[in-house]
């Protein structure tokens, strides 16, 4: 695992102000687990409120527009997310690719815009079950990353995180084997080294996401080159999310 694992909760389209107590509880407990970096990405409507509630954990957005401002009804720019209290943004999630037709090119433009605005980026990639069954998962992910990552990023190790989320593992309770996760993360690392050079690329954390729960977190986080987790369903209550944070902390102690 990475020197300081990164555990990020993606609340997706869940959460009203009634859930602020969960964010508060996650924050309080995370203050005692400083060896783990913890963050939440609530829906846009809660970014500012969560930002005001918490002291320790990071707060981020789940998407942003590629433009700075203008006539884009319903969209939010990176600068606006930053202004609301976000420090990072999740980009290229498979649900946005599927539900909103987001392409690698658009995700690349959003990445550039987010970095320019001063947000850190968690860039998601992931293959379908069909692609995995065809034995093409690694080449597919490499293509996805090459088509959406900028050629050069200043301080890439500080501002970029990759999240590998196989689509067939999201919300299904199914996960790849630790061998498959390790192989994919090594393959992603090779793409990063090729793009950004050995030294910078080694500092970029690669998260695993897809059905991470308290009871499988330790095993998944111990897979080769896993720098943390991007958690959906299990991040919605403090109890289950903290179970994952604790698993990461315990692995650090081993
Ligand atoms: P689940 O943890 O619910 O499978 O979701 C994973 C995910 O999509 C996080 O971004």
């Amino acid at each position: 695992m990475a020197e300081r694992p990164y555990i990020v909760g993606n609340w997706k389209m869940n959460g009203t102000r009634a859930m602020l107590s969960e964010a508060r509880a996650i924050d309080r407990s995370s203050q005692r687990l400083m060896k783990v970096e913890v963050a939440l990405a609530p829906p846009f409507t809660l970014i500012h409120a969560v930002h005001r509630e918490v002291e320790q954990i990071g707060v981020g957005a789940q998407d942003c527009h590629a433009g700075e401002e203008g006539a884009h009804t319903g969209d939010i720019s990176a600068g606006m997310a930053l202004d609301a209290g976000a420090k990072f943004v999740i980009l290229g999630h498979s649900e946005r690719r599927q539900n909103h037709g987001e392409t690698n090119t658009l995700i690349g433009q959003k990445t550039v815009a987010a970095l320019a605005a001063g947000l850190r980026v968690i860039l998601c990639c992931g293959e379908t079950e069909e692609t995995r069954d065809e034995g093409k998962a690694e080449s597919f992910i490499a293509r996805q990353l090459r088509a959406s990552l900028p050629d050069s990023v200043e301080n890439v190790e500080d501002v970029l995180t990759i999240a590998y989320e196989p689509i067939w593992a999201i919300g299904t309770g199914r996960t790849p084997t630790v061998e498959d996760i390790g192989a994919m993360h090594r393959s992603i690392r090779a793409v990063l080294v090729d793009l950004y050079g050995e030294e910078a690329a080694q500092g970029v954390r690669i998260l695993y996401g897809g059905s991470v729960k308290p009871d499988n977190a330790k095993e998944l986080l111990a897979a080769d080159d896993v720098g943390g987790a991007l958690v959906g369903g299990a991040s919605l209550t403090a109890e289950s999310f903290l179970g994952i944070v604790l698993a990461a902390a315990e692995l650090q102690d081993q």
Side-chain angles (χ1 to χ4, degrees):
M1 233 185 2
E3 254 171 52
R4 191 163 182 239
Y6 192 22
I7 308 293
V8 184
N10 174 9
W11 279 5
K12 306 191 179 183
M13 197 173 75
N14 297 290
T16 58
R17 283 176 296 162
M19 257 174 79
L20 290 175
S21 56
E22 301 298 326
R24 219 166 25 237
I26 290 165
D27 184 63
R28 293 296 128 76
S29 295
S30 298
Q31 290 176 22
R32 294 192 296 273
L33 299 165
M34 293 292 286
K35 59 191 100 167
V36 183
E37 186 176 351
V38 180
L40 284 179
F44 285 127
T45 48
L46 286 181
I47 289 175
H48 193 239
V50 172
H51 164 70
R52 289 180 61 141
E53 287 288 335
V54 303
E55 290 171 14
Q56 174 61 36
I57 65 171
V59 182
Q62 300 171 16
D63 179 45
C64 69
H65 193 272
E68 281 181 36
E69 60 188 8
H72 302 290
T73 303
D75 282 313
I76 303 281
S77 72
M80 290 157 73
L82 187 82
D83 182 59
K87 294 284 186 292
F88 69 93
V89 59
I90 298 170
L91 292 175
H93 194 283
S94 59
E95 287 152 13
R96 294 220 49 96
R97 294 176 190 259
Q98 280 173 348
N99 304 344
H100 297 270
E102 292 198 5
T103 61
N104 289 322
T105 305
L106 177 66
I107 292 158
Q109 290 164 351
K110 290 184 175 198
T111 303
V112 170
L115 293 172
L119 290 178
R120 289 161 71 194
V121 170
I122 299 178
L123 186 80
C124 301
C125 56
E127 81 285 356
T128 61
E129 186 157 35
E130 194 185 358
T131 302
R132 173 149 294 269
D133 289 346
E134 285 169 359
K136 294 179 180 160
E138 287 179 26
S139 56
F140 177 83
I141 297 294
R143 268 203 312 280
Q144 241 183 2
L145 291 175
R146 285 182 190 280
S148 47
L149 280 169
D151 291 339
S152 88
V153 179
E154 227 173 288
N155 301 323
V156 70
E157 62 276 36
D158 297 328
V159 297
L160 180 71
T161 300
I162 305 294
Y164 168 56
E165 299 203 307
I167 295 170
W168 51 273
I170 294 177
T172 60
R174 297 166 57 212
T175 60
T177 64
V178 288
E179 289 76 21
D180 284 345
I181 294 173
M184 181 60 84
H185 282 221
R186 284 194 298 276
S187 162
I188 292 171
R189 181 75 61 199
V191 173
L192 294 173
V193 167
D194 189 38
L195 283 172
Y196 303 122
E198 179 76 29
E199 200 180 328
Q202 290 303 342
V204 176
R205 284 177 294 196
I206 306 172
L207 314 183
Y208 168 76
S211 295
V212 179
K213 310 283 176 209
D215 59 2
N216 65 11
K218 226 173 193 175
E219 187 189 5
L220 295 170
L221 288 168
D224 199 17
D225 209 354
V226 170
L230 183 55
V231 184
S235 71
L236 295 175
T237 66
E239 189 187 0
S240 58
F241 191 53
L242 288 168
I244 296 168
V245 175
L246 200 61
E250 283 172 7
L251 271 179
Q252 290 294 94
D253 289 337
Q254 281 176 11

